[in-house]
Amino acid sequence: QVQLVESGGGSVQPGGSLMLSCSAFGFTLDYGTIGWFRQAPGKEREGVSCISGSAGRTLYADSVKGRFTISRDIVRMRVYLQMNSLKPEDTAVYYCATDTYAESCVLNVNHMDYWGKGTLVTVSS
C-alpha cells in the first residue's frame, strides 16, 4: 500500500531555513515522480518542486527557485525539501505527493496519485 508521511514542519523567522522530509512506503523511488506541493490559507494547492524517479531530474516553481532544493535518498526511501531564505508567503501546509506512472515532472495537483497528510510551515517574525 502506497503511503507518504511528511515531517519537519514548524515555525521559523523570515530568512530562516527548514528541511522537510517525506518517507515513502509501498513503492520505489526509482520510478514515477515525487514532489512537494503547498496550500496556503484561502488559496489553492500549488506545486513547489518535483524530482523524477528514473533520471533524478528536478523541477521548481518560479517562486522558490534558488531558495529551495529537492533531493532524495533511494535507499532510505525519503525525499527532502531544503528550504532557505524563507519568506512569510511560504507559510502553508506542505504535502508530499507521487505520480507513480510519470517519467517526467509536472507540478500539477491533478497528476498526482497519492498524497501525504501534510506538515505545516509557518514563517513569521
Side-chain angles (χ1 to χ4, degrees):
Q1 182 179 359
V2 174
Q3 189 177 6
L4 299 166
V5 180
E6 304 95 336
S7 62
S11 296
V12 64
Q13 292 186 342
S17 298
L18 278 176
M19 176 177 274
L20 304 183
S21 178
C22 173
S23 295
F25 304 92
F27 67 104
T28 175
L29 295 182
D30 298 280
Y31 299 97
T33 64
I34 190 164
W36 290 94
F37 293 75
R38 67 185 181 185
Q39 188 166 17
K43 294 188 176 181
E44 293 187 352
R45 195 170 298 188
E46 63 177 1
V48 175
S49 183
C50 177
I51 187 165
S52 65
S54 56
R57 292 193 178 97
T58 59
L59 181 66
Y60 296 94
D62 288 343
S63 58
V64 306
K65 279 182 183 176
R67 300 189 298 123
F68 291 10
T69 303
I70 191 170
S71 62
R72 63 180 178 175
D73 185 331
I74 293 177
V75 173
R76 290 186 172 84
M77 290 290 290
R78 290 180 184 167
V79 177
Y80 304 99
L81 186 68
Q82 177 65 45
M83 305 186 295
N84 298 328
S85 303
L86 283 162
K87 305 175 181 179
E89 51 263 44
D90 294 318
T91 295
V93 177
Y94 283 72
Y95 298 90
C96 180
T98 184
D99 181 342
T100 54
Y101 297 100
E103 294 186 357
S104 57
C105 284
V106 177
L107 290 178
N108 186 318
V109 298
N110 296 316
H111 283 229
M112 313 312 283
D113 303 316
Y114 300 93
W115 292 84
K117 293 183 178 180
T119 185
L120 177 63
V121 172
T122 303
V123 185
S124 174
S125 55

